[in-house]
Amino acid sequence: MLQVSYIRNNKEEVVAGLKKRAWNDDRIKVLDQVIKVDDLRKEQKTELDQLFATVNTLSGKIGMLFKEGKREEAEAQKAEVSAVKERSKVIEEALKQTEHQLTELLYTIPNVPDAKVPAGASEDDNEVFQDWVKDMPNLPENALPHWDLMEKYNLVDFKMGVKITGAGFPLFRGKGAKLQRALINFFIDEAEAAGYEEIIPPLLVNEASGIGTGSLPDKEGQMYHAEKDNLYLIPTAEVPITNMYRGDILDPSVFPIKLSGFTPCFRREAGSYGSDVKGLNRVHQFDKIEIVQIQHPDHSMDTLGEMLEHVKMLLDKLELPYRILTLCGGDLTFASSLTYDFEVFSAAQEKWLEVSSVSNFKTFQSNRMKLRYKDANGKKHLAHTLNGSALALARIFAALLENNQTEDGIRIPEALRNYTRFDYIK
RNA sequence: GGAGGAGUGGCAGAGCUGGUUGAAUGCACCGGUCUUGAAAACCGGCGUGCGUGAAAGCGUACCGGGGGUUCGAAUCCCUCCUCCUCCGCCA
């Protein structure tokens, strides 16, 4: 979430940012409301502190009087304190409500888009940052979409997933399971080679972690909730991994912190329908290797570039055609300031599938989770957090099948053969 | 799941028969003196949030979280969480 001080001091910038997200003037009024509520908060805090100070002074006096044996005087003072105490209770309650109200308001305001973000209301306004200029896969006449290929070669069993769990929970089997595991290991190894520490985090997180990365309350309905224990199934490894540093005050010498984690990801995807959900295009459970960096604000943009290069390298090695989009304001996620989406061309269904999203959240997440660093003068500042998928598996799996189908079966890209230990799926 | 014990500043560890205790002491860390340099020794500093202020500072809150008793709580009470020990169960 944004800092109130930031909204106060950079209001023009925030307004311009929200407009990029296609916010109308009416919605933007929430900024004034925030400042108003914060003014009230300060007022109440000042009064409450004064009341407490009075109580403290009087209580000290009473203590002294008791020591000196002046009981009667002490009793008289007690009555006075009680009156002040009553008033402070009222103010304290009011302050609590004001603070709550302020937080609720701040939760409704998304991150300010970076200067590079184009204005726009929907995905139609995303800009192509880097297009695919080389050849597209040359598929045979009778090329099949991945859902047919999976059935033909018995790689993924959706019916079984439905039987065991429900729609959108694919069951990988045989060579399909092996290919999936090969991809996982390939991505983990590449992340390690790029200097990321490997993390295997918990798959369930508590409420504080969900709030820290902005999954709560913004995407409440997107996550599976284990209500009995008030825990949430992670929608991405970003949540547990970034929260490792929640509340920390770091020494800048630790930057950049580079972490990667492989986890299954769980998303309810309520309201999705149509051809978008066919096959592996959109599922409730998928595997993903996430890369996370925590960085000094001065270097976070360079870091974003570095993460982009990492994802490009992975796709190059997998020989998949891809393009990179700069998300427009309207398509940008709530917490992000700048996001590049990677889309892979799945040749048989002739669709671009999003396989990675690389974002700089700047201080939006770190403000929520109070992740800071101390500069040389001992001053505390919010750190920048970044993350990206490297990569999301279900869709990569789909594109690999479609793009590499031949008369002799499905060809495995060179880079994966050490992992699959087979060259073709026949 | 049952029984018991414990949670204090970066760490260790006092305080816990309620009253200048934001909190002794040691270590670590930072600055200084000394030294050719280092170590040792000595001196000083060393938490976080909020409010106020140009700043220094001042005020206030925080001793696992929340609530209560009291004029006043790290200290008493309730509740939740976490950790440790023993028993049970178990991959």
Side-chain angles (χ1 to χ4, degrees), chain A residues 64-250:
Chain A
M64 292 296 286
L65 290 172
F66 268 117
K67 271 189 185 167
E68 292 166 11
K70 297 175 182 169
R71 284 192 174 262
E72 277 176 31
E73 275 184 59
E75 292 298 333
Q77 293 275 17
K78 275 193 190 180
E80 197 176 331
V81 178
S82 291
V84 179
K85 211 51 210 253
E86 228 162 276
R87 171 76 183 151
S88 78
K89 280 241 163 93
V90 175
I91 299 293
E92 192 169 20
E93 190 49 44
L95 177 62
K96 256 188 200 172
Q97 276 183 28
T98 306
E99 282 173 342
H100 178 73
Q101 195 188 348
L102 181 62
T103 309
E104 291 297 312
L105 284 175
L106 288 171
Y107 278 166
T108 66
I109 303 172
N111 202 353
V112 176
D114 185 84
K116 297 188 188 73
V117 174
S122 74
E123 57 184 302
D124 300 330
D125 299 312
N126 293 339
E127 278 177 9
V128 176
F129 176 72
Q130 187 180 314
D131 213 345
W132 184 252
V133 291
K134 293 182 234 169
D135 294 338
M136 283 299 184
N138 193 13
L139 298 190
E141 279 295 305
N142 54 350
L144 298 171
H146 69 272
W147 47 88
D148 287 338
L149 292 167
M150 293 186 306
E151 201 173 331
K152 179 175 174 185
Y153 296 105
N154 198 23
L155 304 174
V156 179
D157 193 333
F158 274 98
K159 289 201 176 85
M160 202 62 87
V162 168
K163 177 181 179 182
I164 300 165
T165 307
F169 290 89
L171 181 144
F172 291 73
R173 64 193 312 169
K175 286 224 163 101
K178 284 190 196 306
L179 175 57
Q180 181 79 351
R181 190 154 52 85
L183 283 162
I184 292 166
N185 284 328
F186 170 65
F187 293 140
I188 290 173
D189 286 353
E190 292 292 338
E192 188 186 358
Y196 293 87
E197 182 190 357
E198 184 178 344
I199 304 293
I200 299 179
L203 304 182
L204 285 154
V205 294
N206 57 31
E207 206 175 348
S209 294
I211 289 169
T213 38
S215 318
L216 289 172
D218 325 332
K219 297 178 190 162
E220 172 92 54
Q222 175 71 303
M223 288 194 287
Y224 288 97
H225 187 195
E227 288 181 31
K228 211 165 180 181
D229 302 285
N230 198 24
L231 296 173
Y232 294 84
L233 270 170
I234 59 170
T236 159
E238 160 198 349
V239 180
I241 291 178
T242 311
N243 272 286
M244 287 166 65
Y245 290 88
R246 169 154 44 88
D248 286 4
I249 298 176
L250 304 167

Side-chain angles (χ1 to χ4, degrees), chain A residues 335-391:
Chain A
S336 177
S337 176
L338 176 58
T339 295
Y340 293 101
D341 268 10
F342 282 73
E343 295 186 336
V344 155
F345 193 68
S346 206
Q349 52 177 331
E350 297 184 40
K351 250 185 192 300
W352 289 98
L353 301 178
E354 182 193 332
V355 293
S356 177
S357 199
V358 184
S359 304
N360 188 351
F361 301 93
K362 296 187 181 167
T363 59
F364 195 85
Q365 291 183 330
S366 56
N367 186 41
R368 276 208 183 173
M369 63 174 88
K370 299 293 171 255
L371 163 49
R372 291 162 296 169
Y373 68 92
K374 213 179 239 187
D375 69 20
N377 300 318
K379 279 213 156 207
K380 290 169 286 293
H381 309 274
L382 295 169
H384 280 193
T385 62
L386 305 97
N387 67 53
S389 352
L391 284 162

Side-chain angles (χ1 to χ4, degrees), chain A residues 259-274:
Chain A
L259 305 163
S260 77
F262 154 65
T263 66
C265 302
F266 304 90
R267 299 187 182 179
R268 296 185 60 232
E269 303 290 1
S272 303
Y273 58 91

